[in-house]
Amino acid sequence: MKLSTVSAIPGTLSFIPPGKILPQGWLKRQLTLQAQGLSGQLEDIWPDVGANSGWLGGSGESWERGPYYLDGLLPLAYCLQDRSLIEQSQKWVEWMLNSQDNDGWFGPQNNVDWWPRMVALKVLTQYADATGDARVLPFIQRYCHYQLRHLPTRPLSDWGKARAADNVLSVLWAWKQLPEDDLLPQLAKVLLAQGDNWPDFILHRLPTGPVTYFSHLTHVVNVAMGMKYSAMQDDTQQQRLRLEEIKRCFAELDIYHGQPQGIFSGDEFLAGTAPEQGVELCAIVELMFSLENMLRIYGDAQLAERLERVAFNALPAGVSADMMSHQYQQQPNQIAASIAPRNWTYSGDDCNIFGLEPNFGCCTANFHQGWPKFCNSLFMQDEANNLASMVYAPCRVTTDAWDVCVQTDYPFNTDLTFTVHHAPTGDKTLWLRIPQWSTGSAITVNGEPLSYGDGKGYFALTREWRAGDVVTLTFERQVRTERRIHNAVSVYYGPLLMALTPGEIWRPIPGGSPSGDWELQPKKEWNYALDIHPHQGAVVRELQLHASGEQPFALESAPIKLRLSAYRLPTWKVVDNSAGPMPNSPAHAALSVQSSVLLVPYGCARLRIAQFPWLDGREKQTDVA
């Protein structure tokens, strides 16, 4: 057995085709809820993706919403191997493939924007990977040649210019299979040259506070998509030189717009670091997709850490536990989800309610891609048939070379068991990741403990694998805090952001959508300062751990409940229908009586406080309420 640790997996990784990584455990339950919820029902209740869609040959919406929807529906169908959803997605694919003219152009004829076709290409590449349909590659090649002929006189603009990296993804997918076609890398370079240069903007011209004017460069969804621009440059040039540039971009966004759930703010435009500012659900799923592609290209453990933080916290928080409604904007400190004016950079009064189409309909069409593409990114492989477990969740991966089952309730617990049912012959490597938050790790192979020092990142288990081999991983976790604006803190347990829950009263909005629109109000107070000892962290009173339930991110069955010491802070009040700006910490205006607050995983709390002021309780009275 050879064992080593590195910060990034060497070599070139590839996605495993959709349908080859089957979700298990809580992830299967979550995806099933999605299939039974809005994703499976949307065509029947939302005309924008109904039978009259322009992307089905009708006279209805002909821009991005049909492709957006299919970009989540199709991978969901193949993740679950759901025959009904596969048939549902197939009619969209057939119409796209049959819409191409002799020149290579395709799609609704009444819309000539490059942008929605970028999404449609992503759909078709996933479909081809899942099915092997031989029609797709020549279809995309013809369209790429069309683009190369026409882009000089009709260059990218607006949304397509900001999102050029998404177009490049599909061009490079075709080039990988058609290496003799020199026009494909030429097109990729043209697209990158015409697209917005995201690292230049983020590293040199990034606004340092909330933006109140429209710009494609400060629109949060564009930023999330643009984060893979450098990676597409590297992939086009077949090199791996820009990882540090990407990390610097994330660092700048974290400093000036970062939020504790792993993403930068944007309600609609970049909005600064205050936790009462929001972030759009489209940006969350698009940042996940960017991270998944950057992880494929660079194999870097820091990218995997961020992907998990966004996936396990931001994504479930923006969708109801039953997957039947969603928000447009979510706030880290969200004390109500109601129709009311708030201090958004640009959004309507209804944008943080839970419903079918709050504010704009883009998130209604687009949020479906989050969980299925995350499932499809759990494992990747290299050209030598080595297998890499990139991020963790229960699943079974079956390729031509490997069949491995992962049993776990991660991220709700941190014990993982990998059972090998089939493996390639000869010495092969199984890559596994040691999370940065882990305070200690244990690994065994067939019951024998292995020693690997205290390295972080990915470690490589290299051996001749046999059917029946079992690898166990256990990560130790502690309640920890991270400092944020105004010297505030956020609380984490393993990969999960923990949030105070004031309880939730769900009130239906009269005259709402067929699937239901809801306002949420808190059941009790939310304005608490945590009891923090500067050298010891938060004062933990109780920790309860349970297995995830049928609805993994339901508040009522939250798998982790954490009780911390705290003090009411009555000077922290509601401002503009949100939690007001936090006082600087350590706070001094708290009541003298100590009490406690209940924290649950952020993704389980649709109302919450996730960024806290604090005080040192040793300076207060210790009467316990």
Side-chain angles (χ1 to χ4, degrees):
M1 167 71 69
K2 298 177 182 178
L3 185 64
S4 59
T5 60
V6 293
S7 61
I9 297 172
T12 301
L13 294 171
S14 299
F15 287 122
I16 291 169
K20 297 296 186 181
I21 302 176
L22 299 179
Q24 305 287 318
W26 74 261
L27 183 57
K28 184 175 182 178
R29 297 195 297 274
Q30 185 73 1
L31 287 163
T32 301
L33 287 168
Q34 181 174 339
Q36 295 170 345
L38 278 183
S39 294
Q41 298 185 38
L42 197 61
E43 292 183 40
D44 296 326
I45 60 178
W46 198 46
D48 281 10
V49 297
N52 198 39
S53 167
W55 287 91
L56 290 172
S59 60
E61 202 274 343
S62 299
W63 192 45
E64 67 181 8
R65 294 184 180 180
Y68 259 166
Y69 173 56
L70 193 56
D71 195 31
L73 178 69
L74 188 140
L76 174 65
Y78 285 96
C79 274
L80 291 174
Q81 295 289 284
D82 186 310
R83 180 52 51 188
S84 176
L85 291 184
I86 290 173
E87 292 175 358
Q88 190 172 327
S89 65
Q90 190 68 32
K91 66 179 181 293
W92 295 83
V93 171
E94 294 297 331
W95 188 88
M96 287 182 190
L97 292 176
N98 290 325
S99 71
Q100 191 170 51
D101 63 24
N102 292 333
D103 203 25
W105 181 251
F106 77 100
Q109 294 302 308
N110 63 346
N111 186 290
V112 296
D113 193 349
W114 296 113
W115 155 240
R117 289 160 178 85
M118 298 180 189
V119 187
L121 292 180
K122 289 192 299 177
V123 170
L124 292 175
T125 60
Q126 293 174 88
Y127 167 73
D129 286 340
T131 65
D133 192 324
R135 296 175 295 169
V136 174
L137 183 58
F139 175 99
I140 292 179
Q141 185 183 28
R142 287 191 295 271
Y143 178 69
C144 288
H145 290 179
Y146 174 93
Q147 283 195 292
L148 193 57
R149 291 194 302 272
H150 289 270
L151 280 170
T153 56
R154 189 162 70 88
L156 299 179
S157 62
D158 299 325
W159 302 104
K161 187 172 187 287
R163 301 170 176 183
D166 283 67
N167 202 151
V168 175
L169 272 174
S170 300
V171 176
L172 298 182
W173 176 90
W175 187 35
K176 183 177 180 180
Q177 299 172 76
L178 298 167
E180 72 284 354
D181 187 342
D182 295 335
L183 295 181
L184 295 175
Q186 183 179 338
L187 172 60
K189 293 174 184 177
V190 169
L191 290 164
L192 290 167
Q194 290 191 5
D196 286 318
N197 187 318
W198 284 100
D200 176 70
F201 168 72
I202 294 170
L203 295 177
H204 303 296
R205 295 179 286 135
L206 182 71
T208 58
V211 177
T212 56
Y213 57 88
F214 175 75
S215 165
H216 281 290
L217 290 170
T218 58
H219 184 275
V220 66
V221 182
N222 289 349
V223 178
M225 293 179 175
M227 287 303 294
K228 59 181 171 288
Y229 179 90
S230 298
M232 292 301 96
Q233 287 180 303
D234 266 353
D235 225 18
T236 298
Q237 297 165 6
Q238 297 185 303
Q239 57 188 15
R240 301 291 181 267
L241 301 179
R242 292 178 170 86
L243 177 59
E244 292 309 312
E245 178 179 82
I246 292 169
K247 291 182 177 180
R248 292 201 310 273
C249 288
F250 273 120
E252 290 294 297
L253 287 163
D254 285 342
I255 291 169
Y256 297 112
H257 303 282
Q259 295 195 322
Q261 73 276 40
I263 193 171
F264 32 86
S265 67
D267 53 22
E268 180 101 356
F269 316 137
L270 293 172
T273 55
E276 63 270 21
Q277 299 300 146
V279 62
E280 186 180 335
L281 184 56
C282 274
I284 290 167
V285 296
E286 292 294 354
L287 182 62
M288 287 176 59
F289 183 62
S290 289
L291 285 164
E292 288 153 6
N293 277 280
M294 290 186 283
L295 191 55
R296 169 182 60 84
I297 291 168
Y298 299 107
D300 183 77
Q302 288 185 29
L303 298 173
E305 297 282 329
R306 187 178 292 268
L307 175 57
E308 284 196 349
R309 181 172 287 196
V310 175
F312 296 145
N313 299 291
L315 177 58
V319 186
S320 61
D322 62 0
M323 300 290 285
M324 280 298 296
S325 60
H326 74 281
Q327 291 180 295
Y328 189 82
Q329 312 280 17
Q330 69 171 255
Q331 301 161 289
N333 285 0
Q334 183 166 279
I335 59 171
S338 57
I339 300 176
R342 291 178 171 83
N343 190 33
W344 312 122
T345 56
Y346 179 81
S347 281
D349 292 350
D350 65 341
C351 74
N352 82 336
I353 67 167
F354 282 81
L356 173 64
E357 191 182 2
N359 204 51
F360 298 126
C362 53
C363 293
T364 306
N366 193 25
F367 85 86
H368 312 271
Q369 67 170 302
W371 286 120
K373 291 184 182 178
F374 180 76
C375 179
N376 288 339
S377 302
L378 294 173
F379 279 88
M380 299 180 193
Q381 60 188 356
D382 67 12
E383 294 174 345
N385 273 334
N386 298 306
L387 189 66
S389 179
M390 309 305 293
V391 288
Y392 294 129
C395 67
R396 184 165 186 166
V397 55
T398 306
T399 70
D400 293 338
W402 290 88
D403 182 351
V404 179
C405 184
V406 184
Q407 294 174 289
T408 185
D409 209 26
Y410 188 100
F412 308 112
N413 74 22
T414 54
D415 300 326
L416 299 103
T417 299
F418 297 76
T419 302
V420 177
H421 296 285
H422 180 72
T425 57
D427 283 359
K428 296 295 177 184
T429 298
L430 176 63
W431 297 91
L432 304 172
R433 183 172 51 84
I434 310 163
Q436 288 292 315
W437 48 259
S438 176
T439 56
S441 307
I443 179 171
T444 71
V445 176
N446 297 331
E448 294 294 325
L450 300 180
S451 175
Y452 62 90
D454 57 358
K456 299 291 185 181
Y458 285 93
F459 59 82
L461 290 169
T462 303
R463 59 174 284 159
E464 185 169 0
W465 297 93
R466 301 182 185 280
D469 285 344
V470 176
V471 178
T472 65
L473 271 177
T474 301
F475 302 120
E476 296 178 9
R477 52 185 170 167
Q478 296 178 350
V479 176
R480 68 189 194 282
T481 59
E482 291 183 7
R483 293 295 173 94
R484 309 203 67 82
I485 185 176
H486 300 305
N487 204 30
V489 296
S490 291
V491 179
Y492 297 85
Y493 190 57
L496 295 175
L497 173 63
M498 303 297 291
L500 177 153
T501 170
E504 300 167 4
I505 301 171
W506 287 66
R507 292 174 177 160
I509 298 174
S513 67
S515 58
D517 292 338
W518 305 84
E519 287 190 315
L520 280 65
Q521 295 292 338
K523 290 182 177 179
K524 52 188 177 182
E525 297 85 2
W526 53 268
N527 51 346
Y528 284 87
L530 295 184
D531 186 356
I532 300 287
H533 292 179
H535 302 296
Q536 300 174 8
V539 178
V540 179
R541 291 195 177 185
E542 184 182 10
L543 175 63
Q544 297 180 18
L545 305 177
H546 306 281
S548 58
E550 289 304 308
Q551 293 182 356
F553 291 97
L555 177 60
E556 297 77 14
S557 56
I560 301 173
K561 295 181 179 179
L562 177 64
R563 193 164 290 279
L564 300 183
S565 294
Y567 295 83
R568 278 289 308 282
L569 200 62
T571 55
W572 188 15
K573 298 181 181 295
V574 176
V575 176
D576 294 332
N577 298 297
S578 295
M582 286 185 303
N584 289 321
S585 294
H588 298 291
L591 295 177
S592 61
V593 177
Q594 186 188 70
S595 60
S596 64
V597 291
L598 178 67
L599 275 64
V600 299
Y602 180 92
C604 295
R606 276 74 192 177
L607 298 183
R608 62 198 164 245
I609 296 293
Q611 200 161 308
F612 296 88
W614 60 273
L615 56 89
D616 187 347
R618 293 174 298 181
E619 299 177 1
K620 309 297 293 183
Q621 297 179 16
T622 57
D623 298 331
V624 177

